[in-house]
């Protein structure tokens, strides 16, 4: 098993959409960044890349590259998924926290979890997103920015809890490599 952790932070500004977990959240401010500045997905991607020893999102999606200007972080997460799968890893779980004073995240978390699970080709039960405030303290508490932290566990098909040999459906019943026989 391999474990990775990720962290990201972006400044809140006027004139930008607030997108977290691939969900556009109504708010007077949005996050400033080269892409859509989705701090939640950026933290998740860094956790995954770290666990697989593949560097970080800056290595794969540099903010100096115009092809990533305004890009959806869901698309970037889908690319990270391909990299993880090519290395033979299976995502066991993701646990992430959004740190923001406002807006309240609870109404959007279920959709965020679904978006992350779909991009990673895993079940939504393997993704947990939560949110907290900093009680008015620090840059997130004073609404200058939003940050996120994530941790993940990766395994390989050989160490996974997936029952391949016992599956009556054969390889098609395996959630591991996702290849069809």
């Amino acid at each position: 098993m391999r474990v990775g952790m990720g962290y990201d932070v972006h400044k809140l500004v006027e004139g930008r959409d607030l997108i977290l977990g691939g969900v556009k959240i109504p708010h007077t401010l949005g996050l400033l960044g080269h892409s859509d500045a989705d701090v939640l997905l950026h933290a998740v991607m860094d956790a995954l890349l770290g666990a697989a020893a593949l560097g970080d999102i800056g290595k794969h999606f540099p903010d100096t590259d115009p092809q990533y200007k305004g890009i959806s972080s869901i698309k970037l997460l889908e690319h990270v998924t391909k990299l993880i799968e090519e290395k033979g890893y299976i995502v066991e779980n993701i646990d992430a926290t959004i740190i923001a004073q406002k807006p309240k995240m609870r109404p959007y978390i279920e959709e965020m979890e679904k978006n992350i699970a779909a991009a990673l080709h895993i079940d939504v039960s393997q993704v947990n997103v939560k949110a907290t405030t900093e009680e008015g303290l620090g840059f997130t508490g004073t609404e200058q920015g939003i940050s996120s932290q994530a941790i993940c566990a990766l395994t390989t098909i050989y160490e996974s809890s997936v029952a391949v040999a016992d599956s009556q459906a054969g390889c098609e019943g395996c959630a591991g490599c996702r290849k069809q026989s």
Side-chain angles (χ1 to χ4, degrees):
M1 176 180 295
R2 299 180 72 121
V3 175
M5 59 92 46
Y7 172 81
D8 196 37
V9 59
H10 283 273
K11 182 179 180 175
L12 281 164
V13 297
E14 292 181 359
R16 293 270 303 197
D17 290 332
L18 178 58
I19 299 172
L20 294 168
V23 179
K24 186 175 174 181
I25 299 171
H27 194 50
T28 58
L29 303 172
L31 294 169
L32 180 63
H34 187 67
S35 67
D36 63 6
D38 187 329
V39 293
L40 173 59
L41 295 186
H42 292 185
V44 168
M45 287 185 280
D46 268 345
L48 292 164
L49 290 166
L54 292 172
D56 62 18
I57 61 173
K59 174 183 175 181
H60 294 274
F61 316 110
D63 64 6
T64 55
D65 191 333
Q67 74 175 317
Y68 303 121
K69 179 110 174 106
I71 194 168
S72 165
S73 292
I74 288 286
K75 291 186 186 298
L76 301 179
L77 182 57
E78 289 168 349
H79 181 78
V80 168
T81 300
K82 288 178 190 171
L83 295 173
I84 299 300
E85 290 175 347
E86 286 170 3
K87 286 288 210 171
Y89 291 113
I90 298 165
V91 178
E92 288 291 334
N93 76 304
I94 299 285
D95 186 27
T97 304
I98 302 164
I99 302 106
Q101 195 64 35
K102 289 181 185 172
K104 294 294 182 191
M105 301 295 161
R106 173 59 28 220
Y108 310 101
I109 286 179
E110 187 176 321
E111 188 177 354
M112 292 177 194
E113 291 171 339
K114 287 177 184 177
N115 290 343
I116 293 168
L120 291 172
H121 308 147
I122 60 176
D123 190 78
V124 73
S125 68
Q126 294 170 270
V127 178
N128 187 64
V129 175
K130 51 201 178 295
T132 191
T133 70
E134 289 192 310
E135 303 297 329
L137 302 172
F139 71 90
T140 59
T142 57
E143 299 178 57
Q144 294 175 49
I146 294 178
S147 67
S148 186
Q149 300 175 4
I151 190 165
C152 73
L154 301 180
T155 57
T156 65
I157 188 76
Y158 303 107
E159 62 186 339
S160 176
S161 59
V162 176
V164 176
D166 298 334
S167 174
Q168 291 184 5
C171 189
E172 290 182 44
C174 170
C177 67
R178 316 242 187 313
K179 292 181 181 174
Q180 299 284 328
S181 56

